[in-house]
């Protein structure tokens, strides 16, 4: 399998080197992005979601068809509080599986995150856009709230009444330890989670975005590749997610969601939107794309929310 993958990557790299980058738009017809459209969509993602930013990457791996300071997009220190299999077990119990794409060999994309069982009346193989909740804002809820109202009330009850002290000097003497003795925070109250750096590159061969994952354990040590697979939907972990070198970074191996199905899935989503009278706008591409990718990495809580329309109504 590794030999086959290496031969394929060599072939793909050769084709990409001898062909020019796409410049014309084919977003609505085929679901692919041109280089200018990728930059436009990336600028919009950065503007609407400040956790994302453009990066230049290593100069030795710079692609000449992209601006020097906009080689790829990245969001860092994204929490991943649960393993993907725990989420899948919950959705499996509810019978919530939606095949996003399927071909003659049964090589489909199976969405198991955030989607309820599909309605028979919906378009075959496409998740409901209502269920995708593209415009729904969801804050990260993995960090517990330590100082709630009940605790504040308890602290207020512990404040001594000044009338119980004969004079100010007695009060200061009694209060002195609490002012000058530092206490270490209770480690049990701190939630330690895995975190990820999530990056998006432009794949010249497939003419679509491509997602890369760099994982860290609860102590901020790099995750081994086999542990990264624990945070990927098991329907994709050994099928559409591989461990490869990042196209713009030098150090380490990175997990990558292979882009071979991206254009087909995005085209089907675009078709559903257009059938509902919505003309999708290309600068919103990455928001729809990242919602789709959430089915592959369901517990990595990166930001892809937006509070505006996907496109104009016709």
């Amino acid at each position: 399998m590794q030999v086959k993958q290496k031969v394929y990557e060599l072939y793909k790299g050769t084709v990409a080197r001898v062909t020019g980058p796409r410049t014309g738009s084919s977003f609505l017809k085929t679901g692919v992005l041109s280089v200018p459209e990728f930059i436009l969509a990336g600028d919009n993602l950065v503007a609407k979601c400040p956790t994302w930013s453009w990066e230049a990457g290593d100069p030795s791996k710079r692609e000449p068809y992209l601006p020097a300071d906009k080689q790829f997009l990245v969001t860092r220190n994204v929490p991943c509080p649960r393993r993907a299999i725990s989420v899948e077990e919950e959705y499996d119990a509810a019978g919530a599986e939606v095949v996003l794409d399927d071909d003659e060999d049964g090589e489909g994309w199976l969405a198991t995150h955030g989607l309820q069982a599909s309605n028979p009346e919906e378009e075959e193989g496409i998740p409901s856009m209502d269920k995708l909740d593209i415009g729904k804002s969801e804050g990260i809820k993995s960090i517990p709230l330590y100082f709630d109202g009940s605790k504040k009330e308890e602290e207020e009850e512990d404040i001594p009444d000044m009338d119980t002290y004969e004079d100010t000097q007695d009060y200061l003497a009694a209060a002195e330890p609490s002012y000058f003795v530092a206490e270490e925070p209770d480690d049990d109250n701190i939630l330690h989670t895995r975190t990820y750096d999530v990056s998006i590159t432009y794949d010249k061969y497939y003419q679509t975005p491509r997602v890369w994952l760099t994982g860290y354990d609860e102590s901020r040590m790099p995750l081994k590749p086999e542990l990264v697979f624990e945070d990927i939907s098991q329907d994709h972990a050994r099928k559409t997610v591989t461990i490869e070198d990042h196209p713009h970074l030098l150090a380490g191996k990175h997990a990558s969601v292979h882009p071979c199905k991206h254009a087909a899935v995005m085209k089907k989503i675009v078709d559903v939107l257009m059938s509902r009278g919505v003309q999708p706008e290309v600068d919103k591409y990455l928001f729809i794309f990242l919602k789709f990718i959430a089915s592959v990495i369901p517990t990595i809580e990166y930001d892809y929310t937006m509070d505006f329309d996907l496109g104009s109504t016709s």
Side-chain angles (χ1 to χ4, degrees):
M1 181 65 180
Q2 291 182 347
V3 174
K4 182 179 178 181
Q5 179 181 331
K6 288 181 179 179
V7 171
Y8 174 72
E9 291 299 324
L10 180 61
Y11 164 76
K12 192 182 80 167
T14 301
V15 173
R17 282 192 296 272
V18 299
T19 57
R22 171 177 284 277
T23 57
S25 178
S26 187
F27 164 58
L28 297 179
K29 293 182 179 179
T30 61
V32 300
L33 281 183
S34 66
V35 171
E37 288 172 335
F38 174 70
I39 297 170
L40 176 65
D43 285 343
N44 199 26
L45 179 65
V46 170
K48 300 297 181 181
C49 299
T51 55
W52 288 90
S53 63
W54 283 107
E55 292 287 324
D58 188 90
S60 66
K61 305 186 78 173
R62 187 170 295 163
E63 295 291 357
Y65 53 83
L66 291 167
D69 60 343
K70 294 182 178 181
Q71 293 286 300
F72 67 101
L73 294 149
V74 67
T75 180
R76 294 185 172 88
N77 300 319
V78 180
C80 181
R82 302 170 62 190
R83 306 289 70 80
I85 192 170
S86 65
V87 174
E88 292 179 3
E89 288 173 350
E90 293 176 5
Y91 281 97
D92 286 346
E97 294 184 346
V98 178
V99 177
L100 297 180
D101 186 30
D102 204 358
D103 56 25
E104 296 178 355
D105 299 323
E107 297 290 326
W109 291 80
L110 185 64
T112 58
H113 172 57
L115 305 174
Q116 297 300 319
S118 60
N119 188 318
E121 297 179 358
E122 292 175 358
E123 308 254 352
E124 183 179 358
I126 297 294
S128 166
M129 296 305 293
D130 295 331
K131 293 171 185 174
L132 281 176
D133 290 333
I134 293 296
K136 183 178 180 181
S137 298
E138 297 179 355
I140 295 174
K141 301 176 182 178
S142 61
I143 307 300
L145 186 62
Y146 301 132
F147 302 103
D148 57 19
S150 60
K151 186 167 183 178
K152 290 180 180 177
E153 292 175 0
E154 293 175 2
E155 291 175 349
E156 291 176 356
E157 292 175 359
D158 292 337
I159 297 175
D161 186 347
M162 292 294 292
D163 294 336
T164 63
Y165 292 89
E166 295 181 0
D167 54 39
T168 305
Q169 187 174 5
D170 291 337
Y171 175 73
L172 292 175
E176 181 176 332
S178 64
Y179 277 97
F180 297 103
V181 177
E183 296 182 0
E184 292 292 331
D186 187 354
D187 208 39
D188 293 337
N189 288 334
I190 300 176
L191 180 63
H192 298 280
T193 70
R194 287 184 180 181
T195 58
Y196 278 87
D197 294 344
V198 183
S199 59
I200 304 173
T201 63
Y202 181 78
D203 191 290
K204 183 182 174 185
Y205 181 83
Y206 289 104
Q207 302 171 2
T208 65
R210 182 170 185 172
V211 170
W212 301 80
L213 306 170
T214 307
Y216 303 91
D217 65 17
E218 292 78 358
S219 301
R220 286 295 296 170
M221 297 298 292
L223 282 178
K224 296 180 179 179
E226 57 268 23
L227 296 180
V228 174
F229 283 112
E230 295 176 352
D231 298 320
I232 296 169
S233 164
Q234 297 307 295
D235 296 293
H236 304 107
R238 304 291 175 179
K239 177 174 161 182
T240 54
V241 176
T242 56
I243 305 297
E244 301 179 38
D245 294 327
H246 194 285
H248 297 288
L249 300 175
L250 290 177
K253 294 287 186 179
H254 305 256
S256 176
V257 183
H258 202 275
C260 59
K261 299 285 184 178
H262 290 359
V265 173
M266 292 300 294
K267 174 62 169 67
K268 288 188 176 182
I269 295 175
V270 166
D271 288 345
V272 170
L273 287 171
M274 295 184 70
S275 70
R276 297 179 179 179
V278 176
Q279 184 78 5
E281 297 174 355
V282 71
D283 65 331
K284 313 296 194 305
Y285 185 106
L286 287 178
F287 292 97
I288 306 172
F289 174 77
L290 285 171
K291 184 64 180 178
F292 152 60
I293 291 295
S295 67
V296 184
I297 46 177
T299 57
I300 301 178
E301 299 178 342
Y302 56 83
D303 188 11
Y304 57 88
T305 57
M306 64 180 182
D307 55 3
F308 48 89
D309 294 333
L310 290 172
S312 58
T313 57
S314 57

